[in-house]
Amino acid sequence: VESVDDSLFDLAERAESNAMQTEYFDGMREVRKKRQLVERLVNERTTRAFSDFAEAAAFVRAACGYPVVVKPVWGAGSKNVSFCRNEEEFADAFIRVQETPDAYLQQSSDVLVEKYISGDEYVVNMMGTADGVFVTDIWKYEKFGNDYSDCVYYNDIMQDMNDPYFDALREYAVKVDHAVGIKIGPAHAEIKLSENGPVMIEIGSRLAGGEMPKYAAMATNCNSLEKTLKVFIDGTADMPEKIIINSYPASADISHEKFGRLVRINGLEKVRRLKTYTAEVLYAKEGDYIEPTRDVDHLAALFWFMGTDRAQVRADLEKSHRLCTVTVKNDRVLVVATTTDYVDILRKRYPDQI
């Protein structure tokens, strides 16, 4: 729709007469009037929730094809998010979502099926006040897949939201915020920059998870935590004319693929000596039973780095991934409450160890 509108405008500028130019402008108006309908229909054809696998599989074959992303309708932290390349993988992921409580311990027969969108994934955090919706900070998600999950967090890196590269992303995020009816308070959007421009993955009327708001407040002249309180107590909040970034925070999400009782997390002292090291969160202690990372609840550790030299922050992120490992004993698979969502997978993979 955007490209059609742009093309009509270019043709109008080159029109040989006023009458022809008017026709092109009339065409632009018709495109814009139908834009919301077109976008809604496109979205309905690429993203839907299903409770019946046969119906879901028919939708994929007819509407979008593989690969697809399968996830709970409600959830967080990439729990039970799967990238499916074929119908066999799709069937396994579909059943797993239905049979497993989500991140909020809720269980539902509904499964969200989305066409996979390629491109870099960004977080756009916003604040709605009586004066409008304002983008407060932008982060880049870096993820990868391992043998246990298709969606493992790797790094979360705050970006320079004032960079012209993000102009379209900021504008699109605000439009999405309006489209879903979020008028006041925080909004957290996850958007991919595809080859065709920004595409919404999800949005929620909430602050970002983890400590992202805390570090964004430390790094800029806008504290979304304080603005959230202000806007809900007073009905509005003053927002800065421009977000000023004085430092760049980022987190390294340290994953692993070990089963067993944790003996130690290796490399902590070396990570703490890195130039931009700021803080850490350790997800397990000695003696805890740990299992491979498949979502944020199963990380080994999370390190925060922060500095004015973005290259140094990036270098320290990568070093922390190399330095930090886990040592376990009794390296075997235990079928306990935390692993019931993929016990069948483990039984196939480790028939003699469970």
Side-chain angles (χ1 to χ4, degrees):
V1 177
E2 196 77 58
S3 60
V4 172
D5 189 82
D6 291 342
S7 297
L8 287 169
F9 184 81
D10 291 340
L11 289 169
E13 283 190 322
R14 296 196 296 268
E16 297 178 357
S17 66
N18 289 338
M20 187 176 294
Q21 188 178 62
T22 299
E23 288 185 13
Y24 286 129
F25 284 139
D26 286 343
M28 287 173 61
R29 279 191 287 273
E30 287 301 311
V31 168
R32 290 173 181 176
K33 283 196 297 185
K34 296 178 179 178
R35 176 175 184 147
Q36 287 187 333
L37 174 62
V38 171
E39 290 182 342
R40 178 175 61 80
L41 290 173
V42 169
N43 186 59
E44 286 178 351
R45 290 177 183 175
T46 57
T47 305
R48 281 185 58 187
F50 298 91
S51 58
D52 179 74
F53 176 72
E55 185 181 351
F59 162 77
V60 171
R61 288 193 295 268
C64 59
Y66 293 96
V68 293
V69 176
V70 178
K71 62 175 73 172
V73 174
W74 305 101
S78 292
K79 184 177 176 66
N80 270 350
V81 176
S82 298
F83 176 82
C84 303
R85 302 160 189 81
N86 53 55
E87 192 159 309
E88 182 179 1
E89 293 181 354
F90 182 30
D92 289 342
F94 194 93
I95 294 170
R96 191 159 58 248
V97 171
Q98 288 185 319
E99 294 183 348
T100 307
D102 62 25
Y104 303 110
L105 302 181
Q106 300 177 12
Q107 198 157 347
S108 173
S109 61
D110 290 331
V111 178
L112 192 63
V113 180
E114 299 177 344
K115 176 181 174 62
Y116 175 73
I117 305 297
S118 60
D120 291 336
E121 185 175 1
Y122 293 91
V123 166
V124 182
N125 294 314
M126 294 168 279
M127 184 61 60
T129 75
D131 298 316
V133 175
F134 301 84
V135 175
T136 59
D137 49 290
I138 295 176
W139 300 67
K140 184 179 182 181
Y141 274 163
E142 295 181 345
K143 302 176 182 178
F144 71 102
N146 63 16
D147 286 342
Y148 305 91
S149 173
D150 296 317
C151 191
V152 178
Y153 284 84
Y154 186 71
N155 292 323
D156 312 307
I157 308 171
M158 198 175 88
Q159 307 293 297
D160 179 1
M161 62 165 282
N162 298 311
D163 188 325
Y165 177 77
F166 295 117
D167 286 351
L169 182 65
R170 292 195 308 271
E171 181 181 353
Y172 178 86
V174 172
K175 288 180 178 178
V176 169
D177 192 77
H178 287 306
V180 299
I182 302 175
K183 297 181 179 179
I184 194 166
H188 171 78
E190 297 177 7
I191 299 169
K192 280 199 170 183
L193 279 184
S194 74
E195 60 182 9
N196 297 317
V199 178
M200 185 188 76
I201 303 302
E202 57 187 59
I203 186 170
S205 178
R206 63 176 179 86
L207 288 162
E211 295 185 296
M212 195 177 281
K214 168 186 168 181
Y215 283 95
M218 293 167 60
T220 71
N221 60 336
C222 183
N223 188 326
S224 292
L225 297 165
E226 293 180 353
K227 300 297 183 186
T228 298
L229 291 174
K230 182 77 172 172
V231 80
F232 285 120
I233 292 172
D234 298 336
T236 193
D238 294 330
M239 300 295 292
E241 290 186 11
K242 180 180 179 180
I243 299 296
I244 298 173
I245 302 171
N246 55 60
S247 189
Y248 289 90
S251 65
D253 307 303
I254 308 300
S255 61
H256 67 92
E257 297 188 30
K258 295 288 187 70
F259 289 96
R261 297 292 173 185
L262 180 65
V263 175
R264 64 182 170 273
I265 299 178
N266 306 300
L268 291 178
E269 291 304 320
K270 291 181 179 179
V271 172
R272 291 164 185 160
R273 289 196 292 269
L274 295 173
K275 289 182 180 179
T276 61
Y277 169 85
T278 303
E280 67 189 42
V281 179
L282 303 182
Y283 284 80
K285 63 182 184 300
E286 182 181 345
D288 285 350
Y289 173 74
I290 65 172
E291 54 194 35
T293 303
R294 63 190 191 278
D295 51 48
V296 294
D297 292 333
H298 293 83
L299 293 171
L302 184 149
F303 298 113
W304 281 99
F305 300 93
M306 194 167 179
T308 56
D309 185 341
R310 298 176 71 184
Q312 184 64 58
V313 172
R314 163 59 81 174
D316 288 348
L317 282 172
E318 296 307 320
K319 287 178 183 176
S320 71
H321 284 285
R322 294 195 298 271
L323 291 169
C324 188
T325 60
V326 298
T327 298
V328 300
K329 63 181 178 180
N330 300 325
D331 190 5
R332 61 194 179 90
V333 182
L334 301 181
V335 179
V336 295
T338 57
T339 63
T340 53
D341 56 334
Y342 69 153
V343 167
D344 288 341
I345 296 175
L346 297 179
R347 284 199 173 114
K348 293 176 183 176
R349 189 169 292 161
Y350 303 98
D352 301 322
Q353 291 180 266
I354 292 184

